Amino acid sequence: MRSPTLADSFEPWFTGIRWTVFPFLRAWFEWRFERLDRIPASGPVLIACNHASYLDPLVNAYAVVRAKRRPRFLAKDDLFRAFAIRWAMRGTGQIPVARGTGDRSPLRNAEAALRANQVVVVYPEGTVTRRSDGLPMEGKTGTVRLALAAGVPILPLVSWGSAPVWQKSGPGSLRPRRPIWVRVGEPLDVTGRGVSIEDHAGVRALTDELMAVLTADVEALRGSYPSIWASR
């Protein structure tokens, strides 16, 4: 089966966001993308991201679109009921997750998307980090279980600079030309490691390994990020 790309089937909501929201993001922020070529041009791709801001889904979607792929996010089901964005969430084919219910359908739907050669984007933490330094928290095991079920590696994609823009509480900052940096890391292949989905200890260990990779990549971005923007 050929992988779906931006040139494939017309999706009005996705097309609308691509030609309205993304041009605004491109013009408002100062972007730096590193190794977008690591996002394969075809085939299934499972992307794991850090989560420092509510702006991150747009940041990560923009990166995937620049790589000429179409992202499907696992997103909390509250967003599919929110008046302002529920139609966009459904219209762009995002995957709802009912957190804390034990519902396995999101992983089955994400696995089906991967088997259809789509790009699935996951936030292993399940929410915006609560760490004061902005680094990732402990990850939930769903990302690794999805990778094992679908037989695909996990591609780390991290970003830095979005946190001051949009948080759960406190004033946000929309200062123009804020640097937002994005980096795609080395694929982490959790298959062939002798771990099954039912091996809870093994899955937990692989999840901790994934979060260590994400944290190291975030720290590398943070270490070279312009200090003048740290307090703006």
Side-chain angles (χ1 to χ4, degrees):
M1 180 183 296
R2 188 173 64 86
S3 302
T5 67
L6 294 183
D8 284 329
S9 59
F10 177 66
E11 294 181 3
W13 276 102
F14 181 86
T15 303
I17 291 171
R18 183 185 174 197
W19 294 111
T20 57
V21 177
F22 290 161
F24 169 78
L25 294 176
R26 181 172 63 248
W28 196 262
F29 298 107
E30 189 72 34
W31 295 90
R32 189 173 87 176
F33 295 96
E34 299 179 16
R35 299 310 304 267
L36 286 186
D37 59 302
R38 286 176 173 161
I39 299 177
S42 61
V45 186
L46 175 57
I47 294 178
C49 304
N50 68 309
H51 204 355
S53 165
Y54 289 121
L55 186 67
D56 289 338
L58 290 176
V59 171
N60 303 141
Y62 183 39
V64 173
V65 167
R66 284 181 65 97
K68 296 182 170 54
R69 297 297 301 270
R70 183 172 299 182
R72 309 293 190 193
F73 285 79
L74 272 81
K76 61 182 181 179
D77 59 351
D78 292 352
L79 297 176
F80 292 79
R81 296 189 294 269
F83 176 77
I85 62 173
R86 61 188 178 191
W87 302 112
M89 297 297 293
R90 295 168 183 166
T92 54
Q94 308 312 312
I95 302 170
V97 177
R99 296 186 300 185
T101 65
D103 181 14
R104 296 297 181 91
S105 62
L107 289 183
R108 290 195 296 269
N109 293 336
E111 183 182 350
L114 289 169
R115 295 195 185 282
N117 289 327
Q118 297 187 4
V119 176
V120 173
V121 183
V122 182
Y123 295 102
E125 299 163 86
T127 188
V128 173
T129 183
R130 292 183 291 272
R131 288 184 50 155
S132 59
D133 58 7
L135 295 178
M137 305 182 294
E138 182 179 62
K140 301 182 184 300
T141 59
T143 306
V144 168
R145 287 189 283 117
L146 176 57
L148 292 172
V152 298
I154 303 170
L155 189 65
L157 188 156
V158 300
S159 59
W160 192 257
S162 64
V165 179
W166 190 6
Q167 288 288 341
K168 184 174 183 178
S169 60
S173 171
L174 272 177
R175 292 183 66 120
R177 313 314 301 167
R178 176 183 301 280
I180 295 184
W181 291 4
V182 181
R183 173 182 294 172
V184 181
E186 295 275 2
L188 175 64
D189 194 352
V190 298
T191 62
R193 304 273 292 268
V195 175
S196 68
I197 296 177
E198 292 75 23
D199 180 358
H200 299 294
V203 169
R204 179 72 257 169
L206 289 175
T207 300
D208 292 342
E209 182 179 344
L210 168 63
M211 299 313 296
V213 168
L214 288 175
T215 299
D217 286 350
V218 172
E219 287 178 324
L221 277 187
R222 184 182 65 171
S224 56
Y225 188 80
S227 58
I228 192 173
W229 284 94
S231 60
R232 293 187 179 187

